[in-house]
Each structure stands twice: as structure tokens, then as C-alpha cells.
């Protein structure tokens, strides 16, 4: 089965840019989506289809991708951005949805 | 406003059964794929099932629940269900209902969850 790998934790200072990575075999060929989850809350879609933002998501959130790594970037990080972030793809072979293990962003 | 609300969680003994419900409003439910995602205590998100039309061919399950869980829906009630049988300790989790949105083109399929409920808690314990 397809595996997505995320670092368990990322730390940045307020006002800095956070880069959260998501690795997977040939991930460059798969659309990647990102979710933010704060403690005790439901996940929220923050980036879909590699780099598109849903309505209501600040422009500070952006997504990019290379051949084997997808990256969620959060510029001008605020205390309110502290959360767990998950990447997700759809595996065409199994028709399964796959999540990465998640990264905890500490500000 | 698009909304999904889960219900039906609770405490169940190992080997027991439970049926979760998810009521949807504010979007074209009958045109939507619906999914269940769970999160064990202190762990990450795990997709477990999705379906579209009420035919078995449109349903997919994660390996961890295949053969034990069944997803179904009633479009007249705008609801999706998760029947969970032969429950194990490791099924203890918050269960989220979500809409699976997106599309496919010639190159790839862009499937993601855009509407999420707050979740319902299932505890499997003796």
C-alpha cells in the first residue's frame, strides 16, 4: 500500500515561514491535499490539488510539489496556526485514500 | 451552510457491534461520495471507508476494517451509516464523517475531503 511520510514535528517562530514536508514514492504524479487539525476539533481542508486554497483559507497557506516531496508552506506564522497538519493522496492502484502520519507545528 | 453531523458512538465490548450515523445538509448529498475517517487516541487520521451510489460496487474499505465494517446510505434521509461488527480494542477512536469531493481527469484523480463533521467517539473495552 502507498505510504506518505511526514516529520512528526516542526517548530518555527512567530512571523517566520513554516515548511511541512510530505514524502511518497513518485508523489509528483499524485495530487496532494493538506488538512489542519487543532486539538479536539475536526480536520479542516487548507490546500487541495497541490496548491489550491478553499474559500476562507488565508493566502499565507500555499502548497508545492517536486518529484518525491510535497510541501505545505505557511508564511508569517501566527500562534493560531499551531496544529497538526496531514497530507493526503488518493492511490489509484487500490482506490484508497491515504493520509500521512501528520506533523505537529509548534509556534 | 454545508454540514454533516455524526451520532451513534458509545462504549461497546470487544466482539460487539455498533452503528454510526451521519446526517448531511446544505449540499447535494445524492451526488456526493461520503466517507468515514477515524482517529485513535493520540494518533493520526485513518481513512476507513467511502461510497457513492447505494450499490456494493461503489464502496471501498481500508484493509483494517474490510469484512467487519459496512458503509451504507439512505439518500431519502440524506444520511450515511457505518455498521461496525466484530469490534476490537484497536477500533477505539473518534469517527469522522466527511464528504469526498473532487474529480478525475486524464492524468490523475483529485479526491479529498472538504466537509467534515465533529466526530463521534467509539470506545471498545471490556
Amino acid at each position: 500500500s502507498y505510504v506518505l511520510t511526514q516529520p512528526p514535528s516542526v517548530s518555527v517562530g512567530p512571523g517566520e515561514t513554516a515548511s511541512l514536508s510530505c514524502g511518497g514514492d513518485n508523489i509528483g504524479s499524485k495530487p496532494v491535499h493538506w488538512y489542519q487539525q487543532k486539538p479536539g476539533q475536526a480536520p479542516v481542508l487548507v490546500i487541495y490539488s497541490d496548491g489550491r486554497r478553499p474559500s476562507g483559507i488565508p493566502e499565507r497557506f500555499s502548497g508545492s510539489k517536486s518529484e518525491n516531496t510535497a510541501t505545505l508552506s505557511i508564511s508569517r506564522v501566527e500562534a493560531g496556526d499551531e496544529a497538526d497538519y496531514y497530507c493526503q493522496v488518493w492511490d489509484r492502484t487500490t482506490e484508497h485514500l491515504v493520509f500521512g502520519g501528520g506533523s505537529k507545528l509548534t509556534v | 451552510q454545508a454540514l454533516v453531523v455524526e451520532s451513534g458512538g458509545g462504549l461497546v465490548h470487544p466482539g460487539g457491534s455498533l452503528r454510526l450515523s451521519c446526517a448531511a445538509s446544505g449540499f447535494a448529498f445524492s451526488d456526493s461520495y461520503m466517507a468515514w475517517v477515524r482517529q485513535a487516541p493520540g494518533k493520526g487520521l485513518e481513512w476507513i471507508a467511502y461510497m457513492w451510489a447505494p450499490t456494493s460496487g461503489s464502496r471501498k474499505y481500508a484493509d483494517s476494517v474490510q469484512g467487519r465494517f459496512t458503509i451504507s446510505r439512505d439518500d431519502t434521509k440524506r444520511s450515511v451509516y457505518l455498521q461496525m461488527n466484530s469490534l476490537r480494542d484497536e477500533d477505539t477512536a473518534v469517527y469522522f464523517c466527511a464528504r469526498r469531493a473532487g474529480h478525475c481527469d486524464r492524468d490523475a484523480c483529485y479526491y479529498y475531503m472538504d466537509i467534515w463533521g465533529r466526530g463521534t467517539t467509539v470506545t471498545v473495552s471490556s
Side-chain angles (χ1 to χ4, degrees):
Chain A
S1 59
Y2 193 76
V3 176
L4 293 173
T5 301
Q6 297 183 250
S9 62
V10 175
S11 295
V12 295
E16 296 180 349
T17 296
S19 296
L20 291 82
S21 65
C22 174
D25 184 41
N26 198 28
I27 197 173
S29 68
K30 300 178 184 300
V32 180
H33 320 289
W34 292 89
Y35 303 86
Q36 175 194 70
Q37 187 183 32
K38 297 181 179 180
Q41 297 185 21
V44 173
L45 181 70
V46 293
I47 291 290
Y48 68 99
S49 302
D50 298 332
R52 305 188 70 169
R53 278 187 315 278
S55 173
I57 301 300
E59 292 184 4
R60 300 186 297 106
F61 289 78
S62 63
S64 61
K65 206 169 60 173
S66 64
E67 183 177 347
N68 285 309
T69 302
T71 301
L72 172 68
S73 297
I74 309 172
S75 62
R76 303 184 301 281
V77 166
E78 304 170 354
D81 297 329
E82 197 164 272
D84 293 324
Y85 290 85
Y86 296 90
C87 57
Q88 175 254 309
V89 300
W90 185 74
D91 180 12
R92 184 184 284 269
T93 301
T94 59
E95 296 186 292
H96 288 183
L97 296 159
V98 179
F99 285 99
S103 291
K104 180 177 181 58
L105 175 65
T106 300
V107 180
Chain B
Q1 179 187 1
L3 194 64
V4 294
V5 179
E6 306 92 338
S7 61
L11 174 64
V12 60
H13 294 308
S17 298
L18 204 60
R19 188 194 194 212
L20 306 183
S21 300
C22 168
S25 60
F27 62 93
F29 180 79
S30 60
D31 293 336
S32 300
Y33 275 82
M34 297 300 295
W36 288 95
V37 176
R38 70 182 179 185
Q39 186 170 36
K43 302 296 185 182
L45 301 174
E46 179 190 16
W47 165 77
I48 55 174
Y50 69 70
M51 76 174 296
W52 178 40
T55 59
S56 60
S58 73
R59 307 176 199 190
K60 290 293 180 183
Y61 299 94
D63 294 346
S64 58
V65 305
Q66 178 77 48
R68 299 188 300 123
F69 290 12
T70 301
I71 187 172
S72 62
R73 65 190 290 161
D74 184 339
D75 287 357
T76 65
K77 296 182 178 180
R78 299 178 60 85
S79 293
V80 62
Y81 308 98
L82 187 68
Q83 177 66 45
M84 306 185 293
N85 298 330
S86 302
L87 283 162
R88 308 166 178 166
D89 290 351
E90 55 264 35
D91 295 319
T92 293
V94 176
Y95 284 73
F96 296 100
C97 172
R99 182 176 76 167
R100 194 205 82 174
H103 67 282
C104 288
D105 60 23
R106 183 183 61 184
D107 299 319
C109 289
Y110 304 75
Y111 292 146
Y112 51 90
M113 276 67 74
D114 65 343
I115 303 168
W116 293 75
R118 292 189 171 187
T120 187
T121 300
V122 173
T123 303
V124 184
S125 175
S126 54

